[in-house]
Amino acid sequence: MIEGLNPGIILILGALLVPLTSGVIRNIYLLLLPILGLSQMISLGLGSWGEIEVLGIALTLTKIDAFSRVFGLIFHIAAFAGILYALHVRDTIQQVATLLYAGASIAAVFSGDLISLFSYWELTAISSVFLIFASRTERSYNAGMRYLLIQVSSGVILLAGVILYYADQGHVNFGALELDSLAAWLFLIAFGIKAGFPLLNNWIQDAYPQATVTGTVILSAFTTKLAIYALARSFAGEDILLWIGAIMVIFPVFHATLENDLRKTMAYSLNSQQGFMVIAIGIGSELALNGVAAHATISVLYTCLVFMGTGAVLYRNGTAKITELGAVYKSMPVTTFFVIIGSLTIIAFPLTGAFATKSLILSASLDMKLVLLWCVMLFGAVAVIDNVGLKIPALGFFKKDDGRRTKEAPFHMLAAMGLLSACAIWIGLFPAKFFALLPYEMDYHVYTASHVVTQLQLIIFAALGFALALRLGVYPAISNSSYLDTDWLYRRLTKKWTIKISEWVSLVWAFVIKTGLNLVDRIIEISRQTHGISGTMGRGFSSAVSVFLILFILSIFTLIFYGS
Amino acid sequence: MSSSDTKMKKTDLPTVSDRLLKILIVLAVLVALPDILSLFGILYEMHPYTTLEEIPAFYGLYALVAFLTLLAIAKFLQPILRREENYYD
């Protein structure tokens, strides 16, 4: 392999050759690129490469440490699984966009400096939007434009931060920061937009459900986790993140409960799970940061898996809305099975990956005596049992049979789901092997009797509550409605006020113009009256009067100057 | 857009049979049992980090309370936040 080449570059450059291939060759080529990237990452090991100077600024093009390697690993797996899932797609734009996006995300993770990070940060935004546009509907176009606007803004804010940081520090190394300068705050906002911080989050729920069947799977894997990586790298131990994370855990779960669209439900749940990782970054201990890397990995696996399952339902049924679905499990039993694996993983069922990884974060919070935050995260854990663990399978796949039958998902989609399921279960079965990849050494036993019992209590009591709520008819009705969220601020309120203000401005402008014209008219009218032909000043005199006046004035002059 | 598009259509939620409910209740009792037994030092020892966890079946009870809170808040917010499906179009 090429010494020091950033593994992401293999996917980015590889994307450019995709249009030259076709058919089976293209499929093999697409699948080969993430494998090549992964082998490049493994062959490089840990270290720094490509230390160059551009315009007097020292850059490090490739830097791999134990923390970034975990993200690199899961990004490669997600890229491979995503491409496998999308093998039926005959759309070069989507294929190129997927590779550019995955490549840029991987390259960003392995960037040693802020300039490289910024470049790849923007490339992720620009490439990924094509996965939304590719739905080719008016709604997806509008959602894509909003997505692009927000994502590029994040990049511009990051660039402003980089410039200020360089002016202040004289270097652009990407490392730990203190929140004591404008530059650092700009970094926090830029990372926060992509991480889905409260009020900055709605692009996730707005855009992801509008992307193509395969696009949503790809989108869900990279941007938000790249932001988690960037936050952990720069702001580990920053207290403000504890509370931002807590709000993130809680706020999206109510929408996730009410939402009709399965993909939107998952997008809300993804946002809540991001909160767990943000809290862990705020805790900042070695155990917590291991938890961030581990839970981000598992989160990519189960999020992609559930999006793949719901995407397959959309692909076969033409809809992923609960109100429009019947007994999907009868037509698509294998897809249903994989979605259940994904759901079990997301609820941290014993023997699945999240059972091992979520507990790292929960334990880290208790180590720091953050009991309130621990309670918040436990609430989030119960909420996800409802939102994804039970609601998506029960309401999305096991509804009353309406007689409709579709085909099972295509084989390559099932293979992709199988691959991710296997990874999620493997980590659950052998957590110690996975923990060995994490950045810090730790002596942590996942399968204690107490952990298994308490987690089962959490899951089974929540399931009992869910069943009782359905039985007693108190579960919130699911209807084909949309629910207002903070994007209402810019999609409705700001729009309404902008239109209103522009109406006012045009009213005032029309008034100014009208008054001005009236004034000019009035001046012309008065001038016409006074200086016109019949006006006082415009009237002519007879020659006798004129001669008399001239003689009169002359006599006055004569008297004054010569009379004395 | 036809008028049926704008109407709010509720879906029938799946029914829960007596059998499923009974199974869940039995399972809930089973997973709560070790906590009760540990009070008498039988079978298993709890490892509480916090005083909250010393409450028997704390996780189960917390899950029920959290779940009910989630439902209550979601149901409270539902009429306030609900709009027709094509609200933004």
Side-chain angles (χ1 to χ4, degrees), chain B residues 5-65:
Chain B
D5 287 341
T6 54
K7 269 190 196 157
M8 287 194 191
K9 204 173 64 187
K10 283 185 195 173
T11 188
D12 294 331
L13 296 174
T15 46
V16 175
S17 64
D18 284 347
R19 198 162 145 246
L20 180 62
L21 207 58
K22 275 181 198 155
I23 292 173
L24 280 171
I25 292 170
V26 170
L27 282 176
V29 171
L30 278 179
V31 289
L33 204 60
D35 281 10
I36 315 284
L37 291 179
S38 78
L39 287 179
F40 308 102
I42 308 169
L43 187 71
Y44 139 105
E45 212 173 296
M46 289 207 289
H47 296 287
Y49 276 87
T50 58
T51 42
L52 284 175
E53 287 173 284
E54 287 167 16
I55 303 168
F58 165 75
Y59 282 85
L61 298 175
Y62 188 92
L64 265 185
V65 172

Side-chain angles (χ1 to χ4, degrees), chain A residues 359-371:
Chain A
S359 61
L360 295 178
I361 298 176
L362 286 164
S363 301
S365 69
L366 287 182
D367 280 352
M368 294 290 180
K369 309 271 179 258
L370 299 167
V371 178

Side-chain angles (χ1 to χ4, degrees), chain A residues 112-130:
Chain A
D113 65 87
L114 291 161
I115 306 260
S116 309
L117 177 75
F118 162 74
S119 315
Y120 297 127
W121 194 264
E122 283 293 47
L123 186 56
T124 59
I126 297 161
S127 53
S128 57
V129 75
F130 286 96

Side-chain angles (χ1 to χ4, degrees), chain A residues 30-61:
Chain A
L30 288 170
L31 287 169
L32 210 58
L33 284 172
I35 297 174
L36 278 177
L38 184 63
S39 38
Q40 168 74 358
M41 183 190 96
I42 293 167
S43 71
L44 282 178
L46 304 181
S48 293
W49 298 267
E51 282 162 15
I52 58 167
E53 209 165 282
V54 178
L55 302 170
I57 305 172
L59 306 181
T60 308
L61 300 181

Side-chain angles (χ1 to χ4, degrees), chain A residues 139 321 374-375 399 454 457-458 461 465-466 471 474 477-484 488 491-492, chain B residues 8-9 11 16 18 31 35 57 59-60 62-63 67 70 75 78 81-89:
Chain A
R139 218 179 245 192
K321 288 178 181 160
W374 175 76
C375 287
K399 271 189 34 205
T454 53
Q457 274 185 22
L458 208 64
F461 275 75
F466 184 81
R471 178 68 185 247
V474 294
I478 304 290
S479 59
N480 59 340
S481 322
S482 65
Y483 289 93
L484 298 185
W488 178 81
R491 291 176 73 181
R492 268 294 162 106
Chain B
M8 287 194 191
K9 204 173 64 187
T11 188
V16 175
D18 284 347
V31 289
D35 281 10
Y59 282 85
Y62 188 92
F67 182 75
L70 171 71
K75 275 183 92 93
Q78 193 170 31
L81 299 177
R82 184 165 56 198
R83 294 292 180 276
E84 63 173 275
E85 200 173 19
N86 303 320
Y87 176 70
Y88 286 115
D89 292 341

